[in-house]
Amino acid sequence: MGDVEQAVDEEILRALASTARLDILRWLKDPAGNFGRQEIGDFDVEGVCVSVIQDRAGMSQPAVSAHLKILHQAGLVTRKKIGNWHFYRRDELAIRRFLDTLSTAL
Amino acid sequence: MGDVEQAVDEEILRALASTARLDILRWLKDPAGNFGRQEIGDFDVEGVCVSVIQDRAGMSQPAVSAHLKILHQAGLVTRKKIGNWHFYRRDELAIRRFLDTLSTAL
DNA sequence: TAGGAATATTGCTATATAACTATGTTTCGA
DNA sequence: TCGAAACATAGTTATATAGCAATATTCCTA
């Protein structure tokens, strides 16, 4: 006993195997530094809304939406809906858990 | 000064975004435990040759060869040629470096 | 309640990935 | 030196991924 088999989350690895999604994830580390102002919602409380990320990414809105969906399904970001705004934020706990698991299981 | 920007190696992330390659990489952690005997070459010294990995993976030889090429180009495994045998081994240093970088840069 | 704004979803096309079979290359041994 | 063994590469096909435009959905506001 003692050796708990920790499986690497392959869905997360696939989510990270993308320049666009890595960029988004890193931008979300410092919203104030990486994005412009946001009309509604506090960066550090609610998160960053899609249109703001879209401006920074220079991609179509559906493309950004799809990337965020993949990041969300992988559990790397959380989602909060306020009115018609969808705010995304890094899930630091999940990210840390993934990194720890990867460190031992890889 | 101080903050050295460490870029995540996206080639490694793409290499890891594959069940087959993750399996191979983990099998290589314990060759004696995961593979049968090897006619030539010491598991822990030279590494594991392609045909042995192929038997375990249950894939065609070219498929295994392609996966090993991707792992090798990403720098996750080293390659040693002895006669007509090509031995692959984990590059533990490179793997550790990648994990460290990912931990801070993600 | 009609309209507009913010996102998600759909449909489509182009490119990347993964598997196979067939073939090429290198090396060793008879 | 001829043949077989061990891998790599090439060619092909099927599936996955990424982007776009168009459309649907939801919610606020006038």
Side-chain angles (χ1 to χ4, degrees), chain A residues 19-28 53 64 67-68 71:
Chain A
T19 304
R21 289 191 290 272
L22 277 177
D23 283 344
I24 292 174
L25 210 53
R26 281 177 300 206
W27 293 336
L28 290 177
I53 299 173
V64 173
H67 284 307
L68 289 170
L71 288 172

Side-chain angles (χ1 to χ4, degrees), chain B:
Chain B
M1 48 161 274
D3 271 354
V4 178
E5 278 293 331
Q6 287 276 34
V8 177
D9 191 328
E10 300 187 15
E11 186 176 9
I12 293 185
L13 282 172
R14 278 192 299 273
L16 294 178
S18 150
T19 304
R21 288 192 290 273
L22 276 177
D23 283 343
I24 292 175
L25 210 56
R26 281 178 298 207
W27 291 337
L28 289 177
K29 269 181 113 166
D30 177 21
N34 289 303
F35 301 104
R37 295 293 147 238
Q38 194 173 229
E39 295 183 14
I40 192 179
D42 187 316
F43 276 150
D44 297 322
V45 178
E46 280 82 23
V48 184
C49 72
V50 180
S51 56
V52 169
I53 298 173
Q54 179 191 348
D55 286 344
R56 181 71 159 84
M59 276 188 301
S60 70
Q61 177 264 318
V64 173
S65 189
H67 284 307
L68 289 170
K69 182 179 184 179
I70 289 171
L71 288 172
H72 183 240
Q73 284 181 339
L76 292 167
V77 299
T78 61
R79 188 154 137 184
K80 184 177 186 179
K81 188 166 179 275
I82 298 181
N84 240 336
W85 281 264
H86 294 208
F87 297 94
Y88 287 89
R89 245 187 347 163
R90 289 164 56 97
D91 188 336
E92 298 293 352
L93 189 62
I95 292 172
R96 188 52 48 188
R97 250 196 326 253
F98 163 74
L99 288 171
D100 288 346
T101 301
L102 193 67
S103 273
T104 64
L106 196 62

Side-chain angles (χ1 to χ4, degrees), chain A residues 14 18 21 59-60 62-63 67 70 81 83-84:
Chain A
R14 277 191 300 274
S18 151
R21 289 191 290 272
M59 276 187 301
S60 70
H67 284 307
I70 289 171
K81 188 166 178 277
N84 240 339

